[in-house]
Amino acid sequence: SNFKKLFLSLQVYLFVCSQVLLQVEIYEIEGNIFRLKIDEASPLRARYKVPDVLIKEPTTKRLFISHKEAGILVLSSVNEDYKLQVTSNPFQVELQSKGETVMSMNSNGLLYFEHLQPPPSDRYKDLGLWQEKFGNFLDIKAHGPTSVGMDFSLHGYDHVYGIPQHTETLLLKNTSDGDAYRLYNLDIFGHKIHEKIGIYGSVPLLLAHKPNRTSGIFWLNSSETLVDISTKAVAEHTPSRSAAETAKQRAVPLTDVRWMSESGIIDVFLLMGPTAFDTFKQFAQLTGTQALPPLFSLGYHQCRWNYEDEQDVKAVDAGFDAHDIPYDVIWLDIEHTDGKRYFTWDKQKFQNPRKMQEHLRKKKRKLVVIVDPHIKVDPSYTLYAQAKEKGYFVKDRNGQDFEGISWPGPSCYPDFTNPEVRKWYADQFAFKTYKASTNILFVWNDMNEPSVFKGAELTMQKDAVHYNNWEHREVHNLYGFYQQMATAEGLIRRSSGKERPFVLTRSFFAGSQKYGAVWTGDNTADWSYLKISIPMLLTINMAGISFCGADVGGFIGDPEPELLVRWYQAGAYQPFFRGHSNMESKRREPWLFGEKNTQIIRRAIRERYVLLPYLYTLFYRAHTAAEPVMRSLWIEFPEKMETFDVENEYMLGKQVSYSLGFDLNIFEVVWKPFCPGFVFLQIPVFQRGGTVIPLKTTAGKSTEWMIDISYELHVALDTEACAIGELYIDDGHSFQYLHKKQFLYRKFTFCKNILSSSCIDESGQYHTTCVVERVIILGFGKHPTSVTASPKDGKKTEVVFTYDTKTSVLTLENIALSVDADWEICIS
């Protein structure tokens, strides 16, 4: 091997055989990130490198050689906190932090890299190399086998998480005795639980946690990927240990993670934390943060495959009002179109869709319609004809438009990897093009793995050909990512860049958080699916996508009333909140299960709406600071090992804990707090001591009805009788918060019996007439004698209060202090 020092990186050259040289590049990136790239030094043709996922080319930092000897090179960061020891034979890289080995690469010698080769004279005879059979399908590898892989050892770790999407436990399992975790986006109707097969989305990010550190591995590869995990106890590994010290070694955990991808290069980012929140920021620094959603999309969504016609839509809409249940959005599935032609309307069932939307607009509600990627083969269908003429469809290996079967029958698939196609697709959402669409219409991208009926594994063949002659095998996991990107851009462009989009996608990849929301797909109306939805959503949140949810009630089948009620209670405290059902399922609008169950569901949904100020603030934090909205307990309690595998309880932000437990034999639900530091609010929700939660005083018919409803603050005191919280406010729909700094970001602090409101970000300015009307202080130790309110530069006034000696709850009423002003409330 030949070592060559560069200004910003190290290049190492390796032989994978007697003739092929690999180039290894190692970079330090700002923010405690390291990057390792391995590619052929002189490939026969360029290998695929994933574009568009990284928000920019990362800024590198200077590494310097701190030690060099035969076959070993030690690189140090500028501040010398990190060292990389590179060994040439065998090739290994060891990453150390302040003398502690955190991670090592290729320590098990599992690096492999199938180099590009010229085709053999009769390549079709060797089915294992240049072609493979899957059932009746033949996959011809035009450039031969090109798989890559590498192993990583995580020292001191035995808790690893991430790599969504799987119907599995929060804590990733050893795969030594079974299947590897698979990352390959597939349409699996009625997916089973506790399986490692890939389903709708893939984010190749793995997190490892131990009490004093969180680290991450981001494997940037969009081809089919397998991840093997093995955890064991080994002798403690410390560099440069003396013989005497070696004799005293203790057993520590070690987790080996092996990544294997079908194609591409090795391009991996090592996220060094050291805290969980540091790793979230590091991943967001690479792939972007969660888009700030429009406020309406945090309300409740009512969906079914399918609401039949305009009269059905109006009846369901009226039903919510008649039963005093808030909701924001009604959804239309594929049957609303003219023969499954997207961007059209069924001429009989939806004769006047604009009038229907105007009816919803007057009710201050929105409409979401489905727009799948497949396009019906029909020369009279404008969308198909345009794409056909322009050559915008994915091709088969023979250069013809790839044709598969989906909902419309024979269909073609836009090549979203082509930026020109994405621009054309975005243009389809313009109001003049998408006839009878209005600015209250938003979009649902389904079936975009892509789903191909009667295809191999119900997806596109790997030897289909995309833009720049890349095979589908290279880009498969990016297909839905690109469709959502194009759709979101179309919704932004139709408003001349003024309005935030809402796009839900079923298929996703790293970076999808920039474009909207995801959901867990076709779940089943069964208690086990409610239970597994929590670790699935927690895992997706860890991977940077905070805006996620599971279909309330289960998409497939008919939930018993108790299950439906409990699912509404769970969904009300999850980021994306949608009830959805299959066309074979019985109707299940919230009022169809008897008055008692209607009351419980109504209460759960109304609790969601009252909580929206807090939830919207959490999304602002996700958008600006990459903090997940829905959090595993270990993220908030990183040193408490008893939390490391908890998956039936979680946090909304730092302040609210949700707890769920079943006895699956008798279907009883038992609610319990995580720890005594939480104050009970309502089943099954707890507020953390030391926090202030902003709420609305009551729910409205939809989010838009609630703009002028006053606020109340719930103050839960800690052991020091203190608390802190935040509130973010903007117009809820535009980009003015970004372009014009039109927002409020306030902080509420309770300390020494004074509750104060102050500004966090002075650059933001936004006027609201809303006031803080009520304050409820939980855990206040004694009956006060007086309470006074003092607006900044205003007159001190007496505040009406009540105190419950049994519960130690102090309630302050009729305060009427401006949300956008500084003030104090003094209790004596």
Side-chain angles (χ1 to χ4, degrees):
S1 296
N2 174 38
F3 293 110
K4 181 180 180 182
K5 182 185 175 187
L6 299 180
F7 286 115
L8 295 173
S9 67
L10 169 77
Q11 289 187 344
V12 183
Y13 295 96
L14 303 172
F15 285 105
V16 291
C17 67
S18 59
Q19 298 175 336
V20 178
L21 195 66
L22 295 183
Q23 178 174 296
V24 182
E25 299 178 50
I26 300 173
Y27 304 86
E28 183 182 10
I29 296 170
E30 288 185 352
N32 287 355
I33 305 170
F34 291 86
R35 186 179 192 178
L36 173 70
K37 293 176 71 174
I38 302 179
D39 193 4
E40 295 183 53
S42 301
L44 294 179
R45 67 189 294 269
R47 297 177 69 110
Y48 189 72
K49 302 174 183 66
V50 176
D52 302 316
V53 168
L54 301 181
I55 57 175
K56 62 179 180 180
E57 188 61 26
T59 303
T60 56
K61 296 178 67 176
R62 189 181 300 270
L63 290 168
F64 66 92
I65 297 174
S66 58
H67 179 77
K68 184 177 181 180
E69 61 182 82
I72 296 177
L73 190 67
V74 178
L75 303 172
S76 295
S77 57
V78 173
N79 57 14
E80 298 193 37
D81 284 346
Y82 292 97
K83 294 182 184 295
L84 292 117
Q85 179 171 301
V86 184
T87 305
S88 63
N89 190 19
F91 173 70
Q92 292 180 353
V93 180
E94 187 174 286
L95 182 51
Q96 303 164 13
S97 172
K98 298 180 179 178
E100 173 193 2
T101 298
V102 179
M103 197 181 303
S104 51
M105 287 135 274
N106 201 40
S107 51
N108 293 314
L110 297 177
L111 167 66
Y112 70 95
F113 203 103
E114 290 187 300
H115 60 280
L116 293 166
Q117 306 173 55
S121 57
D122 191 5
R123 66 185 185 187
Y124 300 111
K125 288 185 178 180
D126 192 345
L127 297 180
L129 292 178
W130 289 80
Q131 69 179 44
E132 287 185 84
K133 291 199 74 175
F134 186 91
N136 296 324
F137 296 95
L138 180 64
D139 173 23
I140 295 179
K141 302 179 181 180
H143 308 290
T146 56
S147 61
V148 299
M150 195 172 190
D151 66 275
F152 299 78
S153 296
L154 296 157
H155 297 267
Y157 295 96
D158 56 359
H159 294 85
V160 290
Y161 312 88
I163 56 171
Q165 183 186 32
H166 303 94
T167 55
E168 260 295 5
T169 56
L170 177 70
L171 191 64
L172 296 177
K173 298 175 179 176
N174 275 4
T175 60
S176 306
D177 300 327
D179 295 330
Y181 286 92
R182 188 186 190 200
L183 296 172
Y184 192 62
N185 297 350
L186 291 174
D187 175 7
I188 300 183
F189 180 79
H191 52 259
K192 296 179 181 179
I193 61 173
H194 296 301
E195 288 198 349
K196 298 178 181 66
I197 187 171
I199 50 175
Y200 311 101
S202 298
V203 182
L205 171 69
L206 180 141
L207 298 180
H209 179 70
K210 55 186 177 181
N212 65 339
R213 180 181 284 274
T214 305
S215 301
I217 300 173
F218 174 34
W219 177 269
L220 183 53
N221 192 298
S222 53
S223 67
E224 179 182 356
T225 297
L226 301 177
V227 184
D228 255 327
I229 297 169
S230 174
T231 299
K232 56 193 174 186
V234 298
E236 185 175 21
H237 179 86
T238 303
S240 306
R241 184 182 289 277
S242 68
E245 290 173 322
T246 300
K248 299 178 182 179
Q249 283 180 310
R250 59 188 177 94
V252 295
L254 175 76
T255 295
D256 291 322
V257 180
R258 183 185 186 188
W259 298 79
M260 299 161 280
S261 292
E262 183 178 2
S263 196
I265 67 169
I266 293 175
D267 190 2
V268 61
F269 296 84
L270 311 176
L271 314 180
M272 300 310 295
T275 70
F277 290 102
D278 290 330
T279 61
F280 300 145
K281 289 177 183 176
Q282 288 155 2
F283 186 62
Q285 178 183 330
L286 299 171
T287 66
T289 62
Q290 175 67 58
L292 183 62
L295 181 59
F296 80 81
S297 64
L298 301 186
Y300 174 65
H301 301 248
Q302 183 65 36
C303 187
R304 178 176 174 79
W305 179 23
N306 201 88
Y307 286 120
E308 294 297 325
D309 50 32
E310 293 173 359
Q311 290 69 36
D312 199 6
V313 169
K314 290 180 180 179
V316 172
D317 175 73
F320 277 91
D321 290 337
H323 294 89
D324 195 23
I325 300 173
Y327 95 104
D328 262 82
V329 192
I330 192 162
W331 292 52
L332 295 178
D333 212 312
I334 55 177
E335 312 300 333
H336 85 278
T337 62
D338 178 12
K340 314 300 189 300
R341 297 170 180 85
Y342 304 105
F343 301 97
T344 69
W345 305 87
D346 185 294
K347 295 180 178 63
Q348 299 302 317
K349 296 178 179 179
F350 293 89
Q351 296 181 13
N352 197 336
R354 183 179 295 276
K355 184 177 179 181
M356 177 184 68
Q357 291 170 74
E358 290 306 318
H359 172 80
L360 292 172
R361 183 196 306 279
K362 290 176 183 177
K363 305 287 282 294
K364 300 184 179 180
R365 290 173 177 141
K366 308 293 190 288
L367 177 71
V368 165
V369 298
I370 197 167
V371 181
D372 291 344
H374 49 258
I375 295 177
K376 181 181 178 68
V377 174
D378 175 4
S380 67
Y381 176 26
T382 302
L383 198 67
Y384 172 81
Q386 285 185 4
K388 178 77 173 176
E389 179 185 2
K390 294 174 181 292
Y392 283 170
F393 290 126
V394 178
K395 309 301 180 186
D396 63 21
R397 62 173 175 258
N398 298 315
Q400 302 301 308
D401 289 343
F402 176 87
E403 191 170 303
I405 304 296
S406 196
W407 297 123
S411 304
C412 290
Y413 295 75
D415 184 4
F416 293 112
T417 68
N418 184 341
E420 184 179 329
V421 175
R422 293 198 300 272
K423 181 181 183 303
W424 166 81
Y425 196 76
D427 288 341
Q428 305 310 308
F429 293 95
F431 297 126
K432 66 179 181 180
T433 304
Y434 189 173
K435 303 301 183 185
S437 67
T438 74
N439 64 0
I440 70 156
L441 181 148
F442 297 88
V443 180
W444 169 20
N445 293 151
D446 199 359
M447 309 293 288
N448 54 350
E449 294 73 28
S451 176
V452 180
F453 300 166
K454 300 182 181 179
E457 295 192 272
L458 297 182
T459 194
M460 187 174 287
Q461 289 186 215
K462 290 182 175 180
D463 57 9
V465 180
H466 289 262
Y467 175 63
N468 280 339
N469 209 36
W470 293 113
E471 288 185 296
H472 184 70
R473 76 184 76 253
E474 311 270 10
V475 305
H476 175 83
N477 287 342
L478 287 172
Y479 191 82
F481 166 89
Y482 276 128
Q483 189 201 9
Q484 189 189 25
M485 175 195 291
T487 303
E489 178 60 30
L491 295 186
I492 293 171
R493 196 180 299 164
R494 75 177 185 184
S495 71
S496 301
K498 296 177 182 178
E499 298 295 314
R500 289 176 241 168
F502 170 74
V503 184
L504 179 75
T505 182
R506 190 168 72 177
S507 180
F508 56 88
F509 192 69
S512 288
Q513 65 270 12
K514 299 188 292 290
Y515 307 115
V518 309
W519 92 106
T520 60
D522 296 344
N523 57 357
T524 299
D526 184 87
W527 288 91
S528 61
Y529 284 81
L530 169 56
K531 185 177 181 181
I532 202 68
S533 70
I534 294 176
M536 289 179 72
L537 296 177
L538 290 172
T539 300
I540 294 170
N541 268 261
M542 286 184 208
I545 307 174
S546 276
F547 204 4
C548 60
D551 285 340
V552 170
F555 176 67
I556 301 167
D558 297 307
E560 58 184 282
E562 176 74 2
L563 173 59
L564 184 66
V565 164
R566 295 305 186 186
W567 215 317
Y568 268 104
Q569 291 177 326
Y573 288 88
Q574 292 168 356
F576 177 60
F577 186 25
R578 180 180 76 158
H580 187 32
S581 57
N582 186 293
M583 67 190 313
E584 303 298 329
S585 301
K586 298 175 184 178
R587 294 288 288 248
R588 64 166 89 134
E589 284 73 42
W591 53 87
L592 297 180
F593 296 84
E595 181 55 31
K596 179 181 177 182
N597 290 317
T598 299
Q599 289 177 4
I600 300 172
I601 293 172
R602 178 191 298 118
R603 180 181 177 186
I605 295 176
R606 290 179 70 85
E607 286 175 356
R608 165 66 167 227
Y609 276 77
V610 166
L611 188 67
L612 283 175
Y614 176 65
L615 191 60
Y616 195 54
T617 302
L618 293 182
F619 269 95
Y620 180 70
R621 293 294 303 172
H623 179 55
T624 57
E627 296 174 0
V629 170
M630 187 176 173
R631 303 175 190 173
S632 303
L633 293 184
W634 68 263
I635 294 171
E636 284 297 323
F637 305 95
E639 297 182 359
K640 292 184 178 291
M641 295 191 67
E642 63 268 29
T643 69
F644 288 8
D645 62 353
V646 173
E647 60 180 38
N648 64 345
E649 304 175 36
Y650 59 88
M651 305 288 294
L652 272 183
K654 295 178 178 292
Q655 301 177 350
V656 176
S657 172
Y658 179 94
S659 173
L660 172 65
F662 305 126
D663 181 333
L664 292 178
N665 294 314
I666 56 176
F667 298 141
E668 286 187 356
V669 180
V670 180
W671 313 109
K672 62 186 180 66
F674 162 61
C675 71
F678 285 76
V679 179
F680 175 75
L681 288 180
Q682 299 182 49
I683 295 174
V685 182
F686 301 83
Q687 181 176 348
R688 189 176 184 177
T691 65
V692 180
I693 295 178
L695 307 167
K696 287 286 189 173
T697 54
T698 187
K701 294 179 180 181
S702 71
T703 53
E704 201 173 328
W705 284 104
M706 296 175 62
I707 292 173
D708 296 324
I709 291 178
S710 58
Y711 291 86
E712 69 178 55
L713 304 178
H714 282 204
V715 182
L717 302 182
D718 61 14
T719 55
E720 303 297 323
C722 294
I724 191 169
E726 298 176 355
L727 173 63
Y728 173 80
I729 303 173
D730 60 23
D731 66 19
H733 61 87
S734 78
F735 286 107
Q736 292 291 79
Y737 78 93
L738 185 63
H739 302 318
K740 301 291 185 179
K741 298 293 183 182
Q742 292 183 5
F743 66 86
L744 285 178
Y745 193 19
R746 307 291 301 176
K747 178 169 68 175
F748 303 109
T749 305
F750 188 94
C751 191
K752 297 181 179 179
N753 287 355
I754 297 175
L755 175 65
S756 62
S757 171
S758 60
C759 183
I760 296 176
D761 188 344
E762 296 285 354
S763 71
Q765 298 292 327
Y766 183 74
H767 178 67
T768 174
T769 58
C770 282
V771 297
V772 174
E773 186 69 25
R774 182 185 305 125
V775 175
I776 298 175
I777 303 175
L778 310 172
F780 195 78
K782 63 177 182 178
H783 196 301
T785 57
S786 69
V787 179
T788 58
S790 305
K792 186 177 181 181
D793 301 327
K795 183 180 179 181
K796 183 184 294 185
T797 59
E798 294 290 330
V799 175
V800 176
F801 67 90
T802 58
Y803 182 73
D804 188 324
T805 55
K806 292 182 179 180
T807 60
S808 299
V809 174
L810 174 63
T811 303
L812 315 181
E813 299 278 7
N814 304 321
I815 302 171
L817 291 169
S818 296
V819 170
D820 57 6
D822 291 353
W823 46 257
E824 288 185 349
I825 296 176
C826 300
I827 305 171
S828 56

